[in-house]
Amino acid sequence: AYIHDGIAFFTYDKRGVGESSGVYSPVGTRNSLEMIPLLASDAAAAIELLAARPEVDRSRVGLVGGSQAGWIIPVAASLTSNVSWAVILSGPTVSVGREIAYSDLVEVDHLSLEEAEDALLSYSGPEGFDPRPVLDRTSVPTLWLYGLVDDSIPTRACLAVHAELQASHPFDVLTYPTLGHALGPAVWDDVYRWLDSHGIR
């Protein structure tokens, strides 16, 4: 953990990566029902450690992450009462199976993003971890950011889920027509504005 400009940060490597112990395992449809909760428990443990520090205002502790964090953060928030907000960049709201299928359609089969999104509508393969039941129960204010030319996650399908959740959940969604999965540094101005509007900074 470190503190910069009055903001405390806690960053860590995934299990088996960098300086973290344990064994790294990629997430696929077969193991995602075990791996997503496991990785979420690591994030929740990090939150508990940070919130316990005397110099940290535990009422303003949140989670920030990208990509796979779309599955992990909502689960982590359900494991601890110390998450009061979240920011998720390019995070899928569809199942692991659908995200992998979309990536394969674009990167392996070389379909256009629109063609891949259309093909995903008839997907009948294994789903693996599906975030929808957790999202249905999520009450943490969350900012979701998406690039509309994302070749890794099906943004159109993810936004359709958000449209269903919009009326009953404290989610804000921002989209960027020219950005891809990595988004880029320009989106952080929007993140900071959102944090300020929620009294977090």
Side-chain angles (χ1 to χ4, degrees):
Y2 63 96
I3 297 177
H4 174 71
D5 202 21
I7 301 174
F9 297 87
F10 188 116
T11 62
Y12 61 93
D13 295 319
K14 282 186 181 179
R15 291 172 176 242
V17 175
E19 298 183 17
S20 289
S21 60
V23 177
Y24 172 76
S25 176
V27 175
T29 52
R30 291 185 179 181
N31 71 347
S32 57
L33 291 174
E34 295 78 33
M35 285 302 302
I36 296 300
L38 181 64
L39 295 172
S41 71
D42 291 340
I47 285 287
E48 293 298 312
L49 285 171
L50 187 62
R53 294 181 67 116
E55 68 271 33
V56 170
D57 180 353
R58 63 189 304 151
S59 69
R60 293 193 289 171
V61 175
L63 286 162
V64 179
S67 196
Q68 196 179 88
W71 297 316
I72 294 170
I73 284 179
V75 178
S78 74
L79 299 176
T80 170
S81 61
N82 284 316
V83 176
S84 60
W85 57 272
V87 173
I88 299 174
L89 302 94
S90 302
T93 58
V94 297
S95 70
V96 170
R98 288 175 185 271
E99 185 276 333
I100 291 173
Y102 174 82
S103 294
D104 287 346
L105 287 168
V106 174
E107 298 172 9
V108 178
D109 296 339
H110 304 294
L111 268 63
S112 70
L113 303 188
E114 189 70 20
E115 289 170 336
E117 292 271 15
D118 288 343
L120 200 62
L121 295 174
S122 59
Y123 177 77
S124 60
E127 300 286 354
F129 176 81
D130 183 352
R132 183 58 188 268
V134 179
L135 293 173
D136 285 340
R137 301 189 302 269
T138 299
S139 59
V140 173
T142 305
L143 175 63
W144 299 75
L145 302 97
Y146 293 98
L148 297 185
V149 287
D150 194 323
D151 59 5
S152 181
I153 68 166
T155 302
R156 191 176 80 191
C158 292
L159 293 176
V161 173
H162 281 294
E164 295 174 1
L165 296 171
Q166 184 176 11
S168 57
H169 289 70
F171 296 164
D172 293 305
V173 179
L174 296 178
T175 60
Y176 301 88
T178 63
L179 298 183
H181 191 66
L183 291 176
V187 305
W188 287 99
D189 287 340
D190 292 329
V191 172
Y192 295 141
R193 275 191 288 270
W194 184 85
L195 294 173
D196 290 340
S197 72
H198 285 71
I200 295 164
R201 281 211 300 174

